[in-house]
Amino acid sequence: MTLSLRGAAQVLLPPEDGLPYVRDAAGMRLEPGSVTVRDGAIAALEDDPGADEVIDVAGGAIVPGLVDCHTHLPFAGWRAEEYEQKVTGVPYEEIARGGGGIAASARALAEASDGAVLAQARAIRAEMLAHGTTTVEAKTGYGLSREGERRLVRLARELGADRVTGLFAHAVPPGESPGGWMDAVDALAAECDVDALDIYVESVAFRNEDLERLGAIAAREGVPLRAHVEQFNANRSVPVALAAGARSVDHLACLHPDDLAPLAAAECAAVLLPGAELLGDEAVAPGRALAEAGAICVVATDCNPGTSPVLSLPLVVGLAVRRYGWSARQALLACTLNAAWVLGLDDRGSIEVGKRADLVVLDGPVEHVPYRFGRNPVRLVIAGGEVVWRRR
Ligand SMILES: [Zn+2]
Protein backbone atom coordinates (compact mmCIF):
# COMPACT_ATOMS: atom_id res chain seq x y z
CA MET A 1 0.00 0.00 0.00
CA THR A 2 1.50 3.29 -1.15
CA LEU A 3 0.04 6.64 -0.17
CA SER A 4 1.19 10.04 -1.40
CA LEU A 5 0.49 13.36 0.27
CA ARG A 6 0.94 15.79 -2.58
CA GLY A 7 1.79 19.45 -2.69
CA ALA A 8 1.93 20.68 0.90
CA ALA A 9 2.79 24.33 1.42
CA GLN A 10 5.01 23.27 4.33
CA VAL A 11 6.69 20.05 5.42
CA LEU A 12 8.33 20.25 8.84
CA LEU A 13 11.79 18.66 8.59
CA PRO A 14 14.68 18.24 11.03
CA PRO A 15 18.02 20.01 10.39
CA GLU A 16 19.42 16.64 9.25
CA ASP A 17 18.49 12.97 9.43
CA GLY A 18 19.38 10.72 12.35
CA LEU A 19 19.31 13.28 15.15
CA PRO A 20 18.02 11.88 18.47
CA TYR A 21 16.68 15.33 19.47
CA VAL A 22 17.13 18.95 18.46
CA ARG A 23 18.20 21.66 20.91
CA ASP A 24 18.03 24.63 18.52
CA ALA A 25 14.62 24.89 16.89
CA ALA A 26 15.92 27.46 14.43
CA GLY A 27 17.40 24.50 12.56
CA MET A 28 13.96 23.01 11.90
CA ARG A 29 13.08 23.50 8.24
CA LEU A 30 9.70 24.32 6.73
CA GLU A 31 9.71 23.58 3.03
CA PRO A 32 7.03 23.03 0.42
CA GLY A 33 6.83 19.40 -0.63
CA SER A 34 5.19 16.01 -0.75
CA VAL A 35 5.59 12.79 1.24
CA THR A 36 5.08 9.21 0.10
CA VAL A 37 4.58 6.36 2.55
CA ARG A 38 4.85 2.67 1.78
CA ASP A 39 4.40 -0.39 4.01
CA GLY A 40 4.07 1.70 7.13
CA ALA A 41 7.21 3.77 6.64
CA ILE A 42 8.12 7.08 5.04
CA ALA A 43 9.41 6.08 1.60
CA ALA A 44 10.21 9.39 -0.10
CA LEU A 45 10.01 13.14 0.33
CA GLU A 46 8.30 13.49 -3.01
CA ASP A 47 5.02 12.31 -4.43
CA ASP A 48 4.54 9.05 -6.33
CA PRO A 49 2.11 9.44 -9.26
CA GLY A 50 1.62 5.65 -9.24
CA ALA A 51 0.64 5.49 -5.56
CA ASP A 52 -2.49 3.54 -4.58
CA GLU A 53 -3.89 6.70 -3.07
CA VAL A 54 -2.87 10.30 -3.69
CA ILE A 55 -4.20 12.98 -1.35
CA ASP A 56 -3.95 16.61 -2.39
CA VAL A 57 -2.81 18.61 0.61
CA ALA A 58 -2.26 21.94 -1.16
CA GLY A 59 -2.27 24.89 1.23
CA GLY A 60 -1.71 22.67 4.24
CA ALA A 61 1.27 21.51 6.25
CA ILE A 62 2.64 18.03 6.94
CA VAL A 63 4.11 17.56 10.40
CA PRO A 64 5.19 14.44 12.26
CA GLY A 65 2.52 12.60 14.26
CA LEU A 66 2.31 14.33 17.63
CA VAL A 67 3.82 12.57 20.65
CA ASP A 68 2.21 13.09 24.06
CA CYS A 69 4.96 11.94 26.42
CA HIS A 70 3.28 12.93 29.71
CA THR A 71 -0.30 11.87 30.44
CA HIS A 72 -1.96 10.31 33.47
CA LEU A 73 -4.16 7.92 31.50
CA PRO A 74 -5.83 5.70 32.58
CA PHE A 75 -8.00 7.34 35.23
CA ALA A 76 -11.67 7.19 36.27
CA GLY A 77 -14.12 10.07 36.05
CA TRP A 78 -13.40 13.80 36.22
CA ARG A 79 -13.22 16.42 38.98
CA ALA A 80 -15.07 19.37 37.45
CA GLU A 81 -16.68 20.37 40.75
CA GLU A 82 -13.21 20.81 42.26
CA TYR A 83 -12.17 23.02 39.37
CA GLU A 84 -15.10 25.31 40.06
CA GLN A 85 -14.20 25.38 43.76
CA LYS A 86 -10.59 26.16 42.90
CA VAL A 87 -11.32 29.06 40.54
CA THR A 88 -13.87 30.57 42.94
CA GLY A 89 -11.29 30.66 45.70
CA VAL A 90 -11.72 27.55 47.87
CA PRO A 91 -8.24 26.66 49.22
CA TYR A 92 -6.79 23.35 48.07
CA GLU A 93 -6.38 22.19 51.67
CA GLU A 94 -10.14 22.54 52.13
CA ILE A 95 -10.82 20.66 48.89
CA ALA A 96 -8.44 17.90 49.99
CA ARG A 97 -9.99 17.75 53.49
CA GLY A 98 -13.37 17.29 51.80
CA GLY A 99 -12.03 14.14 50.14
CA GLY A 100 -10.96 15.80 46.90
CA GLY A 101 -7.65 15.82 45.04
CA ILE A 102 -5.73 12.67 44.12
CA ALA A 103 -7.65 10.77 46.83
CA ALA A 104 -10.91 11.42 44.94
CA SER A 105 -9.45 10.02 41.73
CA ALA A 106 -8.04 7.02 43.61
CA ARG A 107 -11.48 6.33 45.10
CA ALA A 108 -13.21 6.66 41.72
CA LEU A 109 -10.67 4.31 40.18
CA ALA A 110 -11.09 1.70 42.92
CA GLU A 111 -14.87 1.77 42.44
CA ALA A 112 -14.79 1.59 38.62
CA SER A 113 -14.68 -1.69 36.72
CA ASP A 114 -11.79 -2.43 34.37
CA GLY A 115 -14.23 -2.09 31.48
CA ALA A 116 -15.39 1.36 32.59
CA VAL A 117 -11.82 2.62 33.09
CA LEU A 118 -10.75 1.34 29.69
CA ALA A 119 -13.84 2.74 27.96
CA GLN A 120 -13.11 6.24 29.30
CA ALA A 121 -9.40 6.01 28.44
CA ARG A 122 -10.16 4.75 24.92
CA ALA A 123 -12.58 7.61 24.33
CA ILE A 124 -9.92 10.11 25.39
CA ARG A 125 -7.33 8.32 23.26
CA ALA A 126 -9.67 8.62 20.25
CA GLU A 127 -10.10 12.36 20.85
CA MET A 128 -6.33 12.72 21.14
CA LEU A 129 -5.92 10.99 17.78
CA ALA A 130 -8.36 13.45 16.20
CA HIS A 131 -6.05 16.21 17.48
CA GLY A 132 -3.01 14.62 15.86
CA THR A 133 -1.57 12.55 18.72
CA THR A 134 -0.26 9.28 17.27
CA THR A 135 1.93 8.26 20.22
CA VAL A 136 0.85 8.40 23.83
CA GLU A 137 2.49 7.63 27.14
CA ALA A 138 0.40 6.43 30.09
CA LYS A 139 1.25 6.52 33.78
CA THR A 140 0.07 4.63 36.82
CA GLY A 141 -0.36 6.65 40.00
CA TYR A 142 -4.01 6.65 41.08
CA GLY A 143 -3.83 3.14 42.51
CA LEU A 144 -2.36 4.25 45.86
CA SER A 145 -1.83 0.61 46.86
CA ARG A 146 0.39 -2.15 45.52
CA GLU A 147 -2.61 -3.99 44.13
CA GLY A 148 -4.07 -0.79 42.66
CA GLU A 149 -0.81 0.13 40.96
CA ARG A 150 -0.37 -3.37 39.51
CA ARG A 151 -3.91 -3.09 38.12
CA LEU A 152 -3.07 0.24 36.48
CA VAL A 153 0.02 -1.20 34.78
CA ARG A 154 -2.20 -3.93 33.35
CA LEU A 155 -4.91 -1.45 32.24
CA ALA A 156 -2.34 0.89 30.64
CA ARG A 157 -1.02 -2.08 28.64
CA GLU A 158 -4.55 -3.08 27.66
CA LEU A 159 -5.17 0.47 26.51
CA GLY A 160 -2.28 0.01 24.10
CA ALA A 161 -0.27 2.98 25.33
CA ASP A 162 3.01 3.23 23.43
CA ARG A 163 4.89 3.60 26.70
CA VAL A 164 3.81 2.77 30.24
CA THR A 165 5.46 4.68 33.07
CA GLY A 166 5.29 3.44 36.65
CA LEU A 167 4.42 6.53 38.70
CA PHE A 168 4.25 4.42 41.82
CA ALA A 169 5.50 7.39 43.88
CA HIS A 170 2.61 9.74 43.02
CA ALA A 171 1.02 10.43 46.39
CA VAL A 172 1.84 9.00 49.80
CA PRO A 173 -1.05 6.62 50.62
CA PRO A 174 -2.95 7.34 53.85
CA GLY A 175 -1.17 5.90 56.87
CA GLU A 176 2.15 5.59 55.04
CA SER A 177 5.32 7.68 55.31
CA PRO A 178 7.20 8.70 52.14
CA GLY A 179 10.17 6.53 53.09
CA GLY A 180 7.97 3.58 54.02
CA TRP A 181 6.02 3.77 50.76
CA MET A 182 9.32 3.87 48.83
CA ASP A 183 9.85 0.26 49.98
CA ALA A 184 6.60 -0.61 48.19
CA VAL A 185 7.74 1.41 45.15
CA ASP A 186 10.95 -0.62 45.10
CA ALA A 187 8.96 -3.87 45.12
CA LEU A 188 6.53 -2.64 42.44
CA ALA A 189 9.42 -1.59 40.20
CA ALA A 190 10.86 -5.09 40.49
CA GLU A 191 7.60 -6.94 39.80
CA CYS A 192 5.88 -4.75 37.17
CA ASP A 193 6.60 -4.49 33.46
CA VAL A 194 7.03 -0.74 32.95
CA ASP A 195 9.06 1.29 30.45
CA ALA A 196 10.12 4.05 32.88
CA LEU A 197 9.81 5.07 36.52
CA ASP A 198 8.46 8.42 37.69
CA ILE A 199 8.00 10.27 40.98
CA TYR A 200 6.17 13.38 42.19
CA VAL A 201 8.55 15.47 44.28
CA GLU A 202 6.72 18.22 46.18
CA SER A 203 6.05 19.31 49.75
CA VAL A 204 2.75 17.37 49.69
CA ALA A 205 4.29 14.23 48.15
CA PHE A 206 7.84 12.82 47.98
CA ARG A 207 11.25 14.29 48.87
CA ASN A 208 14.55 14.71 47.08
CA GLU A 209 15.97 11.73 48.99
CA ASP A 210 13.12 9.59 47.59
CA LEU A 211 14.00 10.84 44.09
CA GLU A 212 17.61 9.81 44.68
CA ARG A 213 16.44 6.37 45.79
CA LEU A 214 14.15 6.00 42.75
CA GLY A 215 17.18 6.83 40.58
CA ALA A 216 18.99 3.83 42.05
CA ILE A 217 15.92 1.63 41.55
CA ALA A 218 15.57 2.76 37.91
CA ALA A 219 19.27 2.03 37.30
CA ARG A 220 18.84 -1.43 38.80
CA GLU A 221 15.79 -2.11 36.62
CA GLY A 222 17.46 -0.65 33.52
CA VAL A 223 14.64 1.81 32.79
CA PRO A 224 14.72 5.61 32.41
CA LEU A 225 14.03 7.82 35.41
CA ARG A 226 11.51 10.66 35.06
CA ALA A 227 10.40 13.10 37.73
CA HIS A 228 7.64 15.65 38.40
CA VAL A 229 9.62 18.50 39.97
CA GLU A 230 9.41 22.21 40.83
CA GLN A 231 5.66 22.49 40.16
CA PHE A 232 4.61 24.59 43.16
CA ASN A 233 7.93 25.24 44.94
CA ALA A 234 11.63 25.40 44.12
CA ASN A 235 12.64 22.23 45.93
CA ARG A 236 16.01 22.10 44.14
CA SER A 237 15.15 18.66 42.78
CA VAL A 238 16.73 19.27 39.38
CA PRO A 239 20.37 18.75 40.50
CA VAL A 240 19.26 15.56 42.28
CA ALA A 241 17.49 14.32 39.14
CA LEU A 242 20.49 15.16 36.92
CA ALA A 243 22.87 13.37 39.29
CA ALA A 244 20.55 10.34 39.12
CA GLY A 245 20.73 10.40 35.29
CA ALA A 246 17.07 11.32 34.71
CA ARG A 247 15.75 11.20 31.15
CA SER A 248 13.35 14.07 31.86
CA VAL A 249 12.32 16.54 34.52
CA ASP A 250 8.69 17.58 34.15
CA HIS A 251 6.75 20.75 35.20
CA LEU A 252 9.58 23.19 36.17
CA ALA A 253 7.17 26.11 36.76
CA CYS A 254 9.31 27.00 39.80
CA LEU A 255 12.73 26.05 38.41
CA HIS A 256 15.49 27.66 40.48
CA PRO A 257 17.53 30.06 38.28
CA ASP A 258 20.80 28.37 39.26
CA ASP A 259 19.52 25.03 37.95
CA LEU A 260 18.67 26.29 34.47
CA ALA A 261 22.13 26.17 32.87
CA PRO A 262 23.05 22.69 34.20
CA LEU A 263 19.70 21.35 32.96
CA ALA A 264 20.14 22.98 29.55
CA ALA A 265 23.60 21.42 29.22
CA ALA A 266 22.48 17.94 30.30
CA GLU A 267 21.12 15.09 28.21
CA CYS A 268 17.85 15.40 30.10
CA ALA A 269 14.65 16.84 28.65
CA ALA A 270 12.79 19.78 30.17
CA VAL A 271 9.15 18.66 29.84
CA LEU A 272 6.91 21.70 30.26
CA LEU A 273 3.17 21.36 30.92
CA PRO A 274 1.52 24.69 30.09
CA GLY A 275 -2.01 23.28 30.42
CA ALA A 276 -1.42 22.50 34.08
CA GLU A 277 0.29 25.87 34.53
CA LEU A 278 -2.70 27.75 33.14
CA LEU A 279 -5.55 25.78 34.71
CA GLY A 280 -3.73 25.44 38.03
CA ASP A 281 -2.83 29.15 38.01
CA GLU A 282 0.79 28.09 38.55
CA ALA A 283 3.96 30.04 37.83
CA VAL A 284 5.11 30.00 34.19
CA ALA A 285 8.10 27.78 33.47
CA PRO A 286 11.09 29.63 31.95
CA GLY A 287 10.50 28.11 28.53
CA ARG A 288 12.19 30.88 26.57
CA ALA A 289 15.32 30.88 28.72
CA LEU A 290 15.53 27.07 28.57
CA ALA A 291 15.26 27.12 24.78
CA GLU A 292 17.85 29.88 24.42
CA ALA A 293 20.22 28.00 26.73
CA GLY A 294 19.93 24.94 24.49
CA ALA A 295 17.80 22.63 26.62
CA ILE A 296 16.00 19.66 25.08
CA CYS A 297 12.59 21.34 25.29
CA VAL A 298 9.42 19.25 25.34
CA VAL A 299 5.73 19.97 25.93
CA ALA A 300 2.92 17.56 26.79
CA THR A 301 -0.71 17.69 27.93
CA ASP A 302 -0.27 16.21 31.46
CA CYS A 303 -3.81 14.91 30.75
CA ASN A 304 -5.29 14.14 34.18
CA PRO A 305 -8.59 14.71 35.97
CA GLY A 306 -7.18 17.15 38.53
CA THR A 307 -4.77 19.80 37.30
CA SER A 308 -4.92 19.40 33.51
CA PRO A 309 -8.02 17.83 31.92
CA VAL A 310 -6.47 18.72 28.57
CA LEU A 311 -5.97 16.29 25.69
CA SER A 312 -5.19 18.52 22.70
CA LEU A 313 -1.53 19.01 21.79
CA PRO A 314 -2.44 21.79 19.29
CA LEU A 315 -3.93 23.65 22.26
CA VAL A 316 -0.75 23.01 24.26
CA VAL A 317 1.29 24.33 21.32
CA GLY A 318 -0.81 27.50 21.43
CA LEU A 319 -0.20 27.90 25.16
CA ALA A 320 3.53 27.23 24.84
CA VAL A 321 3.97 29.77 22.05
CA ARG A 322 2.11 32.50 23.95
CA ARG A 323 3.46 31.85 27.43
CA TYR A 324 7.06 30.85 26.64
CA GLY A 325 7.63 33.15 23.68
CA TRP A 326 8.34 30.28 21.31
CA SER A 327 7.97 29.99 17.56
CA ALA A 328 5.44 27.49 16.20
CA ARG A 329 8.26 25.27 14.95
CA GLN A 330 9.87 25.29 18.42
CA ALA A 331 6.59 24.17 19.99
CA LEU A 332 5.99 21.49 17.35
CA LEU A 333 9.54 20.18 17.78
CA ALA A 334 8.75 19.96 21.50
CA CYS A 335 5.84 17.55 20.94
CA THR A 336 7.37 15.49 18.14
CA LEU A 337 11.08 14.56 17.88
CA ASN A 338 12.11 15.71 21.36
CA ALA A 339 9.08 14.07 22.96
CA ALA A 340 9.78 10.80 21.15
CA TRP A 341 13.33 10.91 22.57
CA VAL A 342 11.91 11.18 26.10
CA LEU A 343 10.03 7.94 25.43
CA GLY A 344 13.03 6.23 23.81
CA LEU A 345 11.15 5.84 20.50
CA ASP A 346 13.75 6.66 17.85
CA ASP A 347 11.61 5.19 15.04
CA ARG A 348 9.32 8.25 14.96
CA GLY A 349 8.98 11.94 15.77
CA SER A 350 10.40 13.42 12.57
CA ILE A 351 9.81 13.24 8.84
CA GLU A 352 12.74 11.19 7.52
CA VAL A 353 12.86 8.41 4.94
CA GLY A 354 12.73 5.07 6.75
CA LYS A 355 10.98 6.31 9.86
CA ARG A 356 7.54 5.09 10.89
CA ALA A 357 4.89 6.86 8.83
CA ASP A 358 3.13 8.78 11.60
CA LEU A 359 2.05 12.02 9.94
CA VAL A 360 -0.43 14.80 10.53
CA VAL A 361 -1.82 16.98 7.77
CA LEU A 362 -2.81 20.44 8.98
CA ASP A 363 -5.32 22.51 7.02
CA GLY A 364 -3.07 25.59 7.00
CA PRO A 365 0.48 26.68 7.77
CA VAL A 366 2.03 25.64 11.10
CA GLU A 367 1.94 29.25 12.32
CA HIS A 368 -1.86 28.96 12.41
CA VAL A 369 -1.73 26.24 15.09
CA PRO A 370 -0.93 28.62 17.97
CA TYR A 371 -2.49 31.67 16.37
CA ARG A 372 -5.99 30.27 15.81
CA PHE A 373 -5.95 29.27 19.44
CA GLY A 374 -8.19 26.46 20.63
CA ARG A 375 -9.19 25.36 17.15
CA ASN A 376 -8.34 21.87 15.91
CA PRO A 377 -6.19 22.38 12.78
CA VAL A 378 -5.88 18.66 12.02
CA ARG A 379 -7.27 17.51 8.70
CA LEU A 380 -5.82 14.02 8.41
CA VAL A 381 -3.90 11.64 10.66
CA ILE A 382 -1.73 8.79 9.42
CA ALA A 383 -0.32 6.23 11.87
CA GLY A 384 1.95 3.41 10.78
CA GLY A 385 1.23 4.30 7.16
CA GLU A 386 -2.59 4.04 7.49
CA VAL A 387 -5.10 6.86 7.46
CA VAL A 388 -6.58 6.55 10.97
CA TRP A 389 -8.55 9.79 11.17
CA ARG A 390 -9.94 12.18 8.59
CA ARG A 391 -11.93 15.36 9.18
CA ARG A 392 -15.44 15.00 7.80
ZN1 LIG B 1 1.98 14.72 35.59
Side-chain angles (χ1 to χ4, degrees):
M1 166 75 189
T2 306
L3 170 68
S4 262
L5 303 172
R6 178 184 290 166
Q10 297 174 330
V11 182
L12 183 65
L13 300 166
E16 57 186 277
D17 284 4
L19 298 173
Y21 47 74
V22 170
R23 293 180 185 269
D24 181 4
M28 297 297 290
R29 296 174 290 146
L30 279 170
E31 296 173 0
S34 303
V35 178
T36 295
V37 311
R38 187 175 300 122
D39 302 329
I42 297 170
L45 301 186
E46 56 191 14
D47 80 303
D48 176 354
D52 300 305
E53 187 180 1
V54 177
I55 302 175
D56 180 358
V57 296
I62 306 173
V63 302
L66 306 182
V67 177
D68 198 344
C69 73
H70 184 142
T71 89
H72 289 258
L73 287 172
F75 51 84
W78 298 96
R79 289 171 14 216
E81 62 297 337
E82 270 178 40
Y83 184 63
E84 182 155 307
Q85 287 181 305
K86 199 159 60 180
V87 300
T88 54
V90 181
Y92 182 77
E93 292 70 26
E94 198 175 318
I95 295 172
R97 262 202 312 277
I102 290 174
S105 288
R107 220 167 34 243
L109 186 76
E111 287 165 5
S113 67
D114 287 359
V117 174
L118 282 172
Q120 177 174 345
R122 286 189 176 121
I124 293 169
R125 181 75 192 84
E127 272 192 76
M128 287 175 160
L129 192 70
H131 289 80
T133 300
T134 51
T135 294
V136 69
E137 179 253 21
K139 294 185 198 296
T140 71
Y142 292 113
L144 293 192
S145 68
R146 277 178 70 167
E147 196 189 313
E149 287 295 291
R150 277 195 297 264
R151 177 184 178 222
L152 275 178
V153 172
R154 177 172 57 75
L155 291 177
R157 291 283 178 214
E158 275 185 53
L159 176 63
D162 298 275
R163 284 286 188 255
V164 176
T165 300
L167 177 57
F168 304 131
H170 189 197
V172 183
E176 295 272 358
S177 65
W181 180 249
M182 285 305 294
D183 292 338
V185 170
D186 191 325
L188 281 163
E191 69 194 16
C192 292
D193 169 30
V194 292
D195 304 309
L197 290 168
D198 200 342
I199 182 169
Y200 181 37
V201 185
E202 194 44 85
S203 52
V204 295
F206 293 88
R207 309 156 300 178
N208 283 339
E209 64 192 90
D210 304 316
L211 168 59
E212 199 176 343
R213 182 170 174 197
L214 191 68
I217 295 169
R220 183 193 75 204
E221 297 299 324
V223 296
L225 170 70
R226 303 185 58 186
H228 290 62
V229 297
E230 320 299 65
Q231 183 181 9
F232 300 121
N233 298 288
N235 298 304
R236 305 303 302 271
S237 304
V238 167
V240 181
L242 294 181
R247 173 68 61 101
S248 76
V249 282
D250 304 38
H251 280 296
L252 303 174
C254 297
L255 178 66
H256 192 280
D258 292 352
D259 297 338
L260 194 145
L263 170 57
E267 197 170 48
C268 173
V271 179
L272 309 182
L273 306 167
E277 288 176 15
L278 178 75
L279 297 178
D281 199 21
E282 298 171 13
V284 178
R288 178 66 170 268
L290 281 163
E292 284 176 350
I296 304 168
C297 291
V298 174
V299 289
T301 61
D302 195 19
C303 182
N304 78 77
T307 54
S308 186
V310 171
L311 56 79
S312 162
L313 280 171
L315 185 79
V316 165
V317 163
L319 287 172
V321 163
R322 175 66 272 181
R323 289 162 69 91
Y324 305 147
W326 282 1
S327 64
R329 71 180 78 185
Q330 167 85 63
L332 285 165
L333 165 66
C335 56
T336 54
L337 183 62
N338 287 358
W341 179 78
V342 170
L343 300 180
L345 293 167
D346 61 6
D347 63 341
R348 66 194 75 182
S350 55
I351 299 177
E352 298 175 35
V353 171
K355 276 206 173 181
R356 202 182 132 87
D358 289 354
L359 299 165
V360 172
V361 177
L362 305 173
D363 62 5
V366 299
E367 293 81 4
H368 277 219
V369 178
Y371 169 65
R372 299 183 71 185
F373 183 71
R375 172 181 175 271
N376 186 5
V378 174
R379 182 183 146 194
L380 186 78
V381 182
I382 295 166
E386 306 284 332
V387 175
V388 291
W389 188 83
R390 210 186 274 261
R391 185 191 289 165
R392 286 178 197 274

